[in-house]
Amino acid sequence: MKDEQRPFHQRSRLSIAKLFTHTTTCVVLVLLSFAMGYLSRSSPTQQQRQQLLPQPQPTPPPSVSQLDSFRVTAQCSNSPVPPHLVFPMILDRVFNNTSPYMNFPPPYLGAFLREKRIKGWGSNGAVFEHLIERVKPLVIIEVGTFLGASALHMVNVTRKLGLQTQILCLDDFRGWPGFRDRFKDINMINGDVLLLQQFLQNVVYFNATGSVLPVPFSTGSGLAKLCEWGITADLIEIDAGHDFISAWGDINRAYRILRPGGVIFGHDYFTAADNRGVRRAVDLFAKMNNLKIKIDGQHWVIDTAGASTKQIS
């Protein structure tokens, strides 16, 4: 039967079937062509694949403005106390105008103190003589003093050089948890470990009561108060807490009371203690303030003489 003789609906179905077959054939041919072309391409090399991947961007070092949040700030006096008035101010503000060496030791302490008990770490290093001879300080502040070994060594150095140097020893004189395991001969009365009393006894023994004065507070609160009172120093030693937070706070607060052109230095830059954070604190501080670190034995030294304008915030 001819197509024109078929019913209309049969002719429509045949036309659609032919169209569908033709379209399907075209689609299949296109897909086969695409597949053959894709397979004929060479696979990208490992290097090419790495180039196609997004590359990690190097992290830029923190800028000075980003480091500003690490700065330690406090209200400080705009009127520095003259060196010859430093001891009188401490006696007034801390000891109610009475020397802590007066009538020392009291009778009840006689049986608990040794005539002298000196112990320190790096307390006789050549760095002390190097710096004192160069700076010729009128005022030295020691941050962390324990039994006064470093302070008393500095007294001997200043005497040898003919200097009339005043040394403030800032320490809470409580030691650290467990220190009596190593110092069993340090007595205790009603929970008081008598470190301050033995320190005073050591100063009396070496006849240094006119050169050394304790400031018996925590280093953070003590340095902040010295800054508020306007007490400054030509030479400051940092040797208190050795964890990063403690060292960081002490260095920054001490720097605020360092006279322009003075020197700040500290122990344990190359000892096991620096793993706890001393070196990291010193390095970050120097970077923030654009200062150079020098090494003298186990001590780090930052000399501000000739440095750019000292930043006090």
Side-chain angles (χ1 to χ4, degrees):
M1 181 184 298
K2 295 182 180 179
D3 287 343
E4 59 271 15
Q5 295 176 339
R6 295 178 186 274
F8 175 78
H9 65 277
Q10 289 183 358
R11 291 199 307 272
S12 298
R13 282 199 298 269
L14 287 173
S15 299
I16 293 171
K18 290 179 181 179
L19 178 62
F20 178 77
T21 301
H22 179 73
T23 302
T24 302
T25 302
C26 291
V27 170
V28 170
L29 290 175
V30 170
L31 290 176
L32 285 174
S33 299
F34 178 80
M36 292 298 293
Y38 178 80
L39 292 175
S40 64
R41 290 179 53 200
S42 60
S43 300
T45 64
Q46 181 69 20
Q47 182 179 0
Q48 290 173 329
R49 284 196 294 269
Q50 289 178 348
Q51 291 174 347
L52 293 174
L53 294 174
Q55 298 299 308
Q57 298 299 316
T59 303
S63 64
V64 173
S65 61
Q66 290 174 311
L67 294 173
D68 280 343
S69 59
F70 289 93
R71 297 190 187 280
V72 175
T73 61
Q75 184 63 40
C76 293
S77 172
N78 292 322
S79 302
V81 175
H84 69 280
L85 294 180
V86 168
F87 266 33
M89 174 173 279
I90 295 296
L91 289 173
D92 177 37
R93 300 291 181 91
V94 178
F95 297 106
N96 197 27
N97 258 337
T98 302
S99 171
Y101 302 110
M102 183 177 293
N103 301 321
F104 187 87
Y108 77 94
L109 278 179
F112 295 95
L113 300 177
R114 298 174 62 176
E115 185 179 25
K116 66 172 181 176
R117 176 67 168 93
I118 304 295
K119 172 61 181 176
W121 296 267
S123 301
N124 297 308
V127 63
F128 295 101
E129 189 163 359
H130 295 163
L131 294 179
I132 291 173
E133 187 173 10
R134 179 156 55 86
V135 177
K136 295 179 173 54
L138 297 176
V139 177
I140 297 174
I141 294 177
E142 181 177 64
V143 182
T145 197
F146 195 45
L147 291 169
S150 297
L152 292 170
H153 174 63
M154 287 190 283
V155 168
N156 290 333
V157 174
T158 58
R159 286 174 175 173
K160 185 172 67 173
L161 295 173
L163 301 175
Q164 301 296 318
T165 305
Q166 307 288 284
I167 303 175
L168 297 180
C169 294
L170 177 59
D171 198 303
D172 62 6
F173 295 98
R174 293 294 305 165
W176 57 90
F179 92 94
R180 293 190 74 251
D181 295 337
R182 297 177 57 186
F183 299 91
K184 299 183 185 297
D185 61 325
I186 302 292
N187 288 295
M188 180 184 289
I189 300 178
N190 299 115
D192 185 352
V193 293
L194 302 185
L195 279 177
L196 175 58
Q197 292 81 354
Q198 186 61 60
F199 168 86
L200 294 173
Q201 175 60 36
N202 293 338
V203 176
V204 170
Y205 178 85
F206 284 96
N207 192 28
T209 58
S211 303
V212 177
L213 198 58
V215 183
F217 302 108
S218 68
T219 58
S221 63
L223 286 168
K225 188 56 68 174
L226 293 179
C227 198
E228 181 182 324
W229 290 340
I231 292 178
T232 58
D234 309 289
L235 186 63
I236 301 179
E237 181 196 9
I238 307 294
D239 193 14
H242 292 81
D243 62 283
F244 174 81
I245 297 299
S246 297
W248 174 255
D250 290 345
I251 295 168
N252 278 268
R253 290 187 178 96
Y255 184 64
R256 292 168 58 77
I257 59 174
L258 183 68
R259 286 203 182 108
V263 174
I264 184 170
F265 71 111
H267 192 222
D268 295 301
Y269 196 75
F270 284 124
T271 69
D274 79 2
N275 294 329
R276 293 183 244 159
V278 172
R279 195 189 308 186
R280 285 188 288 117
V282 174
D283 290 350
L284 181 58
F285 169 79
K287 177 179 180 180
M288 286 179 57
N289 293 281
N290 194 29
L291 296 168
K292 293 182 179 179
I293 302 168
K294 298 178 182 178
I295 306 301
D296 192 327
Q298 294 180 337
H299 287 74
W300 55 270
V301 178
I302 293 178
D303 190 343
T304 65
S308 56
T309 303
K310 181 177 170 183
Q311 180 170 355
I312 296 292
S313 54

